[in-house]
Amino acid sequence: MDTKGDREMDSNKVIKVAMLGAGTVGGGVYKLLKMRQDEMYDKIGESLELKKILVKSIPETRKDVDPALLTEDFEDIINDEEVQIVIEVMGGIEPARTFILRAMNAGKSVVSANKDLIAVHGKELLDTAEQNHVDFLFEASCAGGIPIIRPLKQCLCGNHITEVMGIVNGTTNYILTKMEKEGMEFEEALANAKELGYAEADPTADIEGLDAGRKMAIMSSIAFHSRVTFGDVYTEGITKITSSDIRHAKAMDCTIKLLGIARDTEKGIEVRVHPTLIPTNHPLASVNDVFNAVFVHGDAVDDTMFYGRGAGEMPTASAIVGDVIDVARNIHCNCLARIGCTCYKNLPIKKMADIESKYFLRLLVKDYAGVLGNIATILGNHSVSFEKLIQTPVTDDVAEIVAITDIVSEDDFKQAMDELRGKSFIEEVSSIIRVYA
Amino acid sequence: MDTKGDREMDSNKVIKVAMLGAGTVGGGVYKLLKMRQDEMYDKIGESLELKKILVKSIPETRKDVDPALLTEDFEDIINDEEVQIVIEVMGGIEPARTFILRAMNAGKSVVSANKDLIAVHGKELLDTAEQNHVDFLFEASCAGGIPIIRPLKQCLCGNHITEVMGIVNGTTNYILTKMEKEGMEFEEALANAKELGYAEADPTADIEGLDAGRKMAIMSSIAFHSRVTFGDVYTEGITKITSSDIRHAKAMDCTIKLLGIARDTEKGIEVRVHPTLIPTNHPLASVNDVFNAVFVHGDAVDDTMFYGRGAGEMPTASAIVGDVIDVARNIHCNCLARIGCTCYKNLPIKKMADIESKYFLRLLVKDYAGVLGNIATILGNHSVSFEKLIQTPVTDDVAEIVAITDIVSEDDFKQAMDELRGKSFIEEVSSIIRVYA
């Protein structure tokens, strides 16, 4: 254990770390660094010490954190030349962005879990890291504890990756699981998630698909080697999904998940987050509760999947501490900035109107002879045909049509539905949900 | 794209690679390196060139390989000072071991997929790499294309990992899937696997669990930071499993998989490969056909799973080319041997007699009053009790007992069964299979 090539192995050598933030994730990182303290020398070749933690208010900071480490002043950290690694777990765009940029400009490497920031300002952050020859690592930003960035950037980097698809938001997956398994409606399942701490007081970012959209932007950039920002991602949440939709999906051997789907196609990159019907025998269909999973398709490796906890204090800390150890190894080996930005292509983003999908459709229609023919004709004129269709009477006058279409462009399907909505024999368009194809 | 810190980015710089072997996997690596040739500079900062390939017989080598690269003499490669990376895909212990050691002693880094070799001589190979300050990477040795070694050594290295469990042999998983889904018996399913090229002419290493055992030795060493060699692994194959066992398991809401199970326990490391009943709702239960999956439990990350193709030309090539690019990045950044052997503990191996498990048991017994009481008493005297038990009449005189025990030590269970076997009311002990607990 005492030689590592010609590198110095000196147990007195210590790499010093500072942390910005001591909330839920920060508390987890603090705990985990303490738990592994004695093994750091074996893992890195040097010891690791958490020297300072920036908090908003020292008196209001969680009591399990050593008060001697706390500061309310970022200048204490930026001016401390001993600090070589800064962990950013404060969240939000500002002041996180400014602090990270200042830290890197001062020659410090940064580990961040901040998806909101990276999904928008990723290029600026990675460029600044490169200019300063430091590391900027962010494994925790994408799927909590699940290793996905390093597998994409290293293990699978011999592949041309054409698809990244995932359940990357635990809150919505918990809600949909409750709706499916216990027949709850959305509002009840959301209330249940809030009680258990799985949903925040303002759950917008989760239930509207924004959180998942940010993660998809980051993963797509890495998988396809071309910058994708949050603004490029189409997002649609789960608030309109009903337990009745889920029951009807089940009758079609499908389940409904909030999926992030990213593809590298001939017409450009498509990235979108929306409720999606997937076959019950697809590996993602059995990913339930707060668990996340990311499915990756590469031309050599074929299908792979990465599964685990996408959020939570300790799983997120696992990813952050993994990154910190990696930076520390780079410091020890004098090879910071070993793998930086991997966006060496500049691919266009496909318009949402151009994406192609199957659609799940529920309609209430007037139940008289020829209606189904009329509907099929109108849809057919817009290239919409059916893979499956079930018609059942609801009352003497009204029937329900539940159908899955063949693959059609978003644009054609929208035009077809617009025309259909104006017809007198359509009582209600109950649901339109995309189907994985 | 033109600066990477203070490193030189010179498109004329080329890292040269040699390959030992051009069989199935070698052919895949050749193809994949060619497919990605134009992107290597973007990925590494230097180009990559496959310069030489060692084959047994040039005339008998596959025709899609450029004959100008071929040599039958290892000295051509070892003496070529331009070659910085050697890919070993010849398999077997010798001469692979000697060639790899000589390559590293000559200052060349090595990427290998050779599980047979690494599971036995891992320490020697990693020590030699360290002494020569070169890389020895082997992602392809464990689960084909599935990223697992790098996630364990890097992403999850903040965790204390207590369990690694997996379906790590595609051949046996295909056979068990056919037996379950189509009711085939073992021999028929094996013949089917041979026809499709999923099983070799001599399938011993697969069906007796040896291949899986080698992979478990390698993964355990990395996960638990303590050397485990193939000789430490208990292995039991699937040749005795019948479709009737699978049907009875199903009645208990379980499926039968050839599992590798490795645990870091207070009494030492346990590593074993054997057919195992797992609940049908466990994520590993739905891993079917030739797919593999590795389940990892860490104290911070909780449960994670890695899924994909565990064998095959291109998936294995994916892992090898990922390693080659990683070595090339290390060469470019002058940080070879950045992460070497991570076995910094020296944990004992637990005896198989001391492991604890539940057991699935099928018995034919004489069907008269008091027999079940006798059985329960004998087993109870050896600390064996039941979680579930189903007794059904077979003939007027004979009944079948299908049961799952509570957790008991291997030793106690064996003694109980030895005593039971001698009793006149036992007609037959049809099956004993361990149950995941």
Side-chain angles (χ1 to χ4, degrees):
Chain A
M1 284 310 311
D2 286 316
T3 57
K4 206 162 194 177
D6 47 6
R7 274 164 223 140
E8 204 180 337
M9 295 286 278
D10 177 351
S11 53
N12 293 321
K13 283 185 79 175
V14 181
I15 293 171
K16 303 214 171 159
V17 180
M19 183 158 72
L20 314 181
T24 305
V25 173
V29 173
Y30 178 83
K31 231 186 283 179
L32 190 54
L33 284 175
K34 230 172 160 177
M35 284 158 68
R36 291 296 104 78
Q37 198 165 7
D38 294 344
E39 291 184 41
M40 286 300 177
Y41 178 77
D42 291 320
K43 290 178 192 293
I44 299 164
E46 303 190 27
S47 300
L48 199 76
E49 182 193 323
L50 182 58
K51 193 180 176 191
K52 280 180 183 146
I53 304 174
L54 178 70
V55 294
K56 264 192 206 148
S57 153
I58 293 177
E60 286 169 41
T61 299
R62 45 196 298 162
K63 298 303 165 227
D64 56 344
V65 174
D66 179 1
L69 304 183
L70 302 180
T71 174
E72 293 175 357
D73 187 0
F74 179 65
E75 305 306 319
D76 279 351
I77 288 170
I78 197 83
N79 293 325
D80 187 333
E81 289 189 3
E82 279 191 344
V83 170
Q84 292 180 277
I85 306 174
V86 173
I87 302 167
E88 184 273 307
V89 282
M90 53 202 302
I93 303 289
E94 285 295 354
R97 176 177 153 271
T98 301
F99 287 175
I100 292 175
L101 292 173
R102 285 191 62 197
M104 294 197 289
N105 282 325
K108 302 178 195 309
S109 289
V110 173
V111 171
S112 171
N114 194 331
K115 57 187 101 39
D116 299 44
L117 178 63
I118 299 163
V120 177
H121 298 281
K123 183 169 163 33
E124 181 187 27
L125 297 165
L126 284 160
D127 284 352
T128 306
E130 191 175 321
Q131 284 151 20
N132 292 286
H133 202 59
V134 295
D135 277 331
F136 178 65
L137 300 187
F138 45 93
E139 180 70 80
S141 69
C142 275
I146 306 173
I148 184 67
I149 293 184
R150 212 168 265 99
L152 286 173
K153 283 200 172 191
Q154 298 187 246
C155 310
L156 301 177
C157 70
N159 287 266
H160 177 63
I161 292 173
T162 48
E163 187 173 62
V164 175
M165 185 171 71
I167 295 170
V168 290
N169 180 271
T171 309
T172 46
N173 203 43
Y174 178 82
I175 291 171
L176 291 172
T177 303
K178 280 280 154 185
M179 291 172 72
E180 183 186 345
K181 305 282 178 201
E182 299 179 23
M184 287 184 189
E185 285 302 338
F186 172 77
E187 288 298 340
E188 189 190 353
L190 173 61
N192 179 273
K194 280 187 183 175
E195 259 171 51
L196 292 168
Y198 294 154
E200 293 177 50
D202 177 2
T204 313
D206 291 321
I207 62 176
E208 295 297 352
L210 312 180
D211 174 82
R214 290 174 182 125
K215 293 167 182 166
M216 292 309 297
I218 298 171
M219 288 192 291
S220 308
S221 300
I222 296 167
F224 308 141
H225 303 292
S226 185
R227 180 66 51 199
V228 176
T229 59
F230 179 49
D232 298 325
V233 185
Y234 171 86
T235 54
E236 192 183 307
I238 62 163
T239 55
K240 287 177 200 155
I241 302 295
T242 64
S243 67
S244 170
D245 288 329
I246 293 174
R247 270 199 314 278
H248 281 97
K250 209 167 192 174
M252 300 269 190
D253 287 325
C254 286
T255 184
I256 299 178
K257 294 288 186 187
L258 182 69
L259 280 199
I261 301 174
R263 288 188 182 131
D264 183 1
T265 75
E266 282 182 13
K267 288 182 186 165
I269 295 176
E270 58 177 75
V271 200
R272 46 198 167 103
V273 171
H274 50 67
T276 313
L277 269 76
I278 50 173
T280 48
N281 63 1
H282 190 283
L284 285 176
S286 51
V287 174
N288 286 321
D289 298 316
V290 294
F291 278 91
N292 283 13
V294 182
F295 199 84
V296 177
H297 183 88
D299 62 351
V301 77
D302 196 68
D303 290 337
T304 53
M305 194 176 78
F306 303 82
Y307 167 94
R309 289 189 181 270
E313 182 188 2
M314 296 312 286
T316 309
S318 164
I320 291 171
V321 172
D323 276 354
V324 169
I325 292 171
D326 222 25
V327 177
R329 283 167 169 164
N330 284 347
I331 291 172
H332 182 66
C333 297
N334 194 24
C335 63
L336 281 170
R338 183 176 162 271
I339 303 175
C341 182
T342 48
C343 291
Y344 53 78
K345 296 182 186 173
N346 191 4
L347 303 171
I349 303 293
K350 199 164 157 181
K351 281 190 203 119
M352 194 60 191
D354 292 339
I355 73 138
E356 295 192 322
S357 186
K358 294 182 182 180
Y359 294 83
F360 168 83
L361 184 62
R362 283 174 58 207
L363 302 172
L364 291 181
V365 300
K366 294 226 163 72
D367 194 6
Y368 57 77
V371 167
L372 190 59
N374 285 339
I375 293 172
T377 304
I378 292 169
L379 294 182
N381 289 340
H382 295 280
S383 313
V384 180
S385 56
F386 293 108
E387 181 184 291
K388 281 185 192 174
L389 189 144
I390 303 170
Q391 176 171 343
T392 39
V394 177
T395 64
D396 282 353
D397 304 330
V398 177
E400 182 172 53
I401 293 175
V402 180
I404 289 180
T405 70
D406 291 318
I407 290 177
V408 58
S409 81
E410 181 97 358
D411 205 28
D412 280 339
F413 184 75
K414 279 216 161 143
Q415 286 180 25
M417 291 310 297
D418 284 347
E419 188 175 338
L420 210 59
R421 273 195 183 90
K423 299 299 172 191
S424 60
F425 49 81
I426 300 291
E427 292 273 312
E428 182 187 296
V429 177
S430 319
S431 314
I432 297 172
I433 306 172
R434 293 176 190 83
V435 178
Y436 178 69
Chain B
M1 284 308 308
D2 286 318
T3 58
K4 207 165 195 175
D6 46 6
R7 273 164 223 140
E8 207 180 333
M9 296 285 279
D10 176 352
S11 54
N12 294 321
K13 283 183 80 175
V14 181
I15 294 170
K16 304 215 171 160
V17 180
M19 183 157 72
L20 314 181
T24 306
V25 173
V29 172
Y30 179 83
K31 229 185 284 179
L32 191 54
L33 285 175
K34 230 173 160 177
M35 285 158 66
R36 289 298 105 78
Q37 197 164 8
D38 293 343
E39 291 184 41
M40 286 301 178
Y41 178 78
D42 291 320
K43 290 179 192 291
I44 299 164
E46 303 188 26
S47 300
L48 200 76
E49 181 193 325
L50 182 58
K51 193 180 176 190
K52 280 178 184 150
I53 304 174
L54 178 71
V55 294
K56 266 190 207 150
S57 152
I58 293 177
E60 286 169 42
T61 299
R62 43 196 299 162
K63 297 303 165 226
D64 54 344
V65 173
D66 179 1
L69 304 184
L70 302 180
T71 173
E72 294 175 356
D73 186 1
F74 178 65
E75 305 306 319
D76 279 351
I77 288 171
I78 198 82
N79 294 325
D80 187 334
E81 288 190 5
E82 279 192 344
V83 170
Q84 291 181 278
I85 306 174
V86 173
I87 302 167
E88 183 272 309
V89 283
M90 53 201 303
I93 303 290
E94 287 293 356
R97 176 176 153 272
T98 301
F99 287 174
I100 291 175
L101 292 173
R102 283 190 63 197
M104 293 197 290
N105 284 325
K108 301 179 196 306
S109 289
V110 174
V111 171
S112 170
N114 193 331
K115 55 187 104 37
D116 300 45
L117 177 63
I118 298 165
V120 176
H121 298 282
K123 186 172 165 25
E124 180 187 29
L125 297 164
L126 283 160
D127 284 352
T128 306
E130 192 174 320
Q131 283 151 22
N132 292 287
H133 201 60
V134 296
D135 277 330
F136 177 65
L137 300 187
F138 44 93
E139 182 69 80
S141 69
C142 275
I146 306 174
I148 185 65
I149 293 183
R150 211 167 267 100
L152 286 174
K153 284 200 173 192
Q154 298 187 245
C155 309
L156 300 176
C157 71
N159 286 266
H160 176 63
I161 293 171
T162 48
E163 187 173 64
V164 175
M165 185 171 72
I167 295 169
V168 290
N169 180 272
T171 309
T172 46
N173 204 43
Y174 178 83
I175 291 171
L176 290 172
T177 303
K178 281 280 154 187
M179 290 173 73
E180 184 187 344
K181 307 281 180 203
E182 299 178 26
M184 287 185 188
E185 285 302 338
F186 172 77
E187 288 300 341
E188 189 188 353
L190 173 62
N192 179 276
K194 279 186 184 175
E195 260 171 51
L196 292 168
Y198 294 155
E200 294 177 50
D202 176 3
T204 313
D206 290 322
I207 63 176
E208 295 298 351
L210 313 181
D211 174 80
R214 291 175 182 124
K215 293 167 181 167
M216 291 309 296
I218 299 171
M219 288 193 289
S220 307
S221 300
I222 296 167
F224 307 142
H225 304 291
S226 185
R227 180 65 52 197
V228 175
T229 59
F230 179 50
D232 298 325
V233 185
Y234 171 86
T235 54
E236 192 182 305
I238 62 164
T239 54
K240 289 177 197 153
I241 302 294
T242 64
S243 68
S244 170
D245 289 328
I246 293 174
R247 270 199 313 280
H248 281 96
K250 208 167 194 177
M252 300 271 191
D253 287 326
C254 286
T255 183
I256 299 177
K257 294 290 185 185
L258 182 69
L259 281 198
I261 301 176
R263 288 190 181 128
D264 183 2
T265 77
E266 283 182 12
K267 288 181 187 166
I269 295 177
E270 58 177 75
V271 201
R272 46 198 167 102
V273 171
H274 49 66
T276 313
L277 268 78
I278 50 172
T280 46
N281 63 1
H282 190 284
L284 286 176
S286 51
V287 175
N288 287 321
D289 299 316
V290 293
F291 278 91
N292 284 13
V294 182
F295 200 84
V296 178
H297 183 88
D299 62 350
V301 78
D302 197 69
D303 290 336
T304 53
M305 195 175 79
F306 303 84
Y307 167 94
R309 290 189 181 270
E313 180 188 5
M314 296 312 285
T316 309
S318 163
I320 291 171
V321 172
D323 276 355
V324 169
I325 292 172
D326 222 26
V327 177
R329 282 167 170 164
N330 285 346
I331 291 172
H332 182 66
C333 297
N334 193 24
C335 64
L336 281 170
R338 182 175 163 271
I339 303 174
C341 181
T342 48
C343 291
Y344 53 78
K345 295 181 187 175
N346 191 3
L347 303 172
I349 303 291
K350 200 165 156 182
K351 282 190 200 117
M352 195 60 191
D354 293 338
I355 74 136
E356 295 192 323
S357 186
K358 293 180 182 181
Y359 293 83
F360 168 83
L361 185 62
R362 283 174 58 207
L363 303 171
L364 292 181
V365 301
K366 294 227 162 72
D367 193 8
Y368 56 76
V371 167
L372 190 58
N374 285 340
I375 292 172
T377 305
I378 291 169
L379 294 182
N381 289 339
H382 294 280
S383 311
V384 180
S385 57
F386 293 107
E387 182 186 288
K388 280 185 192 174
L389 189 144
I390 302 169
Q391 176 171 344
T392 38
V394 177
T395 66
D396 282 353
D397 305 329
V398 176
E400 181 171 52
I401 291 175
V402 180
I404 289 180
T405 71
D406 290 318
I407 291 178
V408 58
S409 81
E410 182 97 357
D411 205 28
D412 280 339
F413 184 75
K414 281 217 159 141
Q415 286 181 28
M417 292 308 298
D418 284 346
E419 189 176 336
L420 210 59
R421 274 195 182 89
K423 299 298 172 191
S424 60
F425 50 81
I426 300 293
E427 293 272 314
E428 182 186 297
V429 177
S430 320
S431 313
I432 297 172
I433 305 172
R434 292 177 193 82
V435 178
Y436 177 70

